[in-house]
Amino acid sequence: MSQPRLYMFQCGVISQHWHDLMLGQRLGEPVDVPVPWYLVTHTDGHTLVDGGNPAICAVDAHRHWGEIADRCTPRMTPEQACTVELEAVGIAPADVRYIVQSHLHLDHTGALSAIAAFPNATVVATRAEFEYAHAPDWFSRALYVRADFTDPAIAWTLLEKHEDGYDVYGDGVVRLWQSPGHSPGHLAIEVTLAASGSILLAVDAVATLHHWDERALPGFATSHLEAVRSVRTLRRIAHRSQSTVVPGHDPDAWPTFKHSPHYYE
Ligand SMILES: [Zn+2]
């Protein structure tokens, strides 16, 4: 396994409403959005991105998430937990060297919440996101589940504001782009592969292509201004790199990508 590969996984869906994704549009229309997460294989140890929902969501989401599980209801099976999915494609969690957190919202902490399964992993996030997750404003408090990210066993690497474009391996395969707005310390992940070229995992900086195409503001943001400008920044990066852009929760775009056990290389 010399060439890096990118696997795209789906940790079930979240049943919610279109107006959660598009501000003031399609009011009350229900939608099931995918919960993606990713793995980049690498000879220096693998990088896992986010890990979807914590495994407990398959059993009792309401107990773990609280009341928000009534409005944004996760639907996943125990087999969709990230540790189980990794084993299914022959990846040992002990071979994961980095867990990159796009941000710390509750549907992105599947790996963190199972940190004991990743004994050799350093967790990479921004300091801005780490600090905000510990003291969120009232309107975003429900999106951060403290139990997922406060285990003292987590070995954090916190990126500062000036470390934009952070190159995880130093070889250009995984680069992290600061893209605040959906949350204060959001990261998009650019994966550069030998045959597939640049794949930009925009995660929740671009929840659906409506944001990318500037047809709707996101339904949730800590700053709509930052969110809009982060999309512009990512568009410049994608143009420069001729990237394939992967939105974070787009029910129409998601089926167009290759899903695990298939992969990009
Ligand atoms: Zn989010």
Side-chain angles (χ1 to χ4, degrees), residues 103 105 107-108 143 182-183 186 204 220 249:
H103 62 313
H105 282 169
D107 53 332
H108 296 262
L143 296 174
H182 174 73
S183 70
H186 189 281
D204 288 5
F220 177 85
H249 293 286

Side-chain angles (χ1 to χ4, degrees), residues 103-164:
H103 62 313
L104 291 169
H105 282 169
L106 74 187
D107 53 332
H108 296 262
T109 50
L112 269 187
S113 66
I115 197 67
F118 300 98
N120 302 310
T122 297
V123 178
V124 183
T126 63
R127 182 177 299 282
E129 185 69 14
F130 179 85
E131 291 182 348
Y132 189 76
H134 285 80
D137 291 294
W138 65 269
F139 69 94
S140 49
R141 199 167 293 151
L143 296 174
Y144 291 103
V145 176
R146 260 174 181 272
D148 292 346
F149 54 80
T150 51
D151 188 330
I154 299 171
W156 293 96
T157 290
L158 297 178
L159 303 179
E160 310 296 341
K161 280 262 191 295
H162 63 267
E163 293 181 281
D164 197 15

Side-chain angles (χ1 to χ4, degrees), residues 45-263:
H46 311 317
T47 292
L48 187 159
V49 177
D50 289 353
N53 300 320
I56 180 102
C57 289
V59 184
D60 190 350
H62 203 276
R63 184 157 63 92
H64 193 62
W65 280 13
E67 283 180 16
I68 196 172
D70 297 334
R71 292 183 280 126
C72 298
T73 307
R75 304 187 191 285
M76 64 176 278
T77 64
E79 293 73 30
Q80 288 174 316
C82 67
T83 50
V84 182
E85 290 274 34
L86 285 180
E87 302 279 6
V89 291
I91 300 287
D95 292 336
V96 173
R97 181 172 172 196
Y98 302 105
I99 296 170
V100 170
Q101 288 297 139
S102 63
H103 62 313
L104 291 169
H105 282 169
L106 74 187
D107 53 332
H108 296 262
T109 50
L112 269 187
S113 66
I115 197 67
F118 300 98
N120 302 310
T122 297
V123 178
V124 183
T126 63
R127 182 177 299 282
E129 185 69 14
F130 179 85
E131 291 182 348
Y132 189 76
H134 285 80
D137 291 294
W138 65 269
F139 69 94
S140 49
R141 199 167 293 151
L143 296 174
Y144 291 103
V145 176
R146 260 174 181 272
D148 292 346
F149 54 80
T150 51
D151 188 330
I154 299 171
W156 293 96
T157 290
L158 297 178
L159 303 179
E160 310 296 341
K161 280 262 191 295
H162 63 267
E163 293 181 281
D164 197 15
Y166 186 77
D167 184 335
V168 171
Y169 295 99
D171 61 1
V173 172
V174 178
R175 280 175 294 172
L176 309 180
W177 298 107
Q178 298 191 21
S179 38
H182 174 73
S183 70
H186 189 281
L187 288 169
I189 297 96
E190 184 179 6
V191 181
T192 304
L193 301 170
S196 304
S198 168
I199 299 179
L200 183 61
L201 309 174
V203 198
D204 288 5
V206 183
T208 70
L209 290 177
H210 305 97
H211 307 149
W212 186 256
D213 298 335
E214 302 188 337
R215 287 181 281 134
L217 292 171
F220 177 85
T222 52
S223 164
H224 280 105
L225 183 59
E226 283 189 325
V228 165
R229 291 183 180 173
S230 287
V231 168
R232 280 291 166 109
T233 300
L234 294 177
R235 285 168 64 114
R236 285 193 287 273
I237 290 167
H239 180 73
R240 185 178 69 203
S241 302
Q242 294 296 299
S243 307
T244 299
V245 178
V246 184
H249 293 286
D250 193 318
D252 301 315
W254 179 244
T256 67
F257 300 109
K258 273 190 255 186
H259 301 168
S260 166
H262 305 289
Y263 53 84

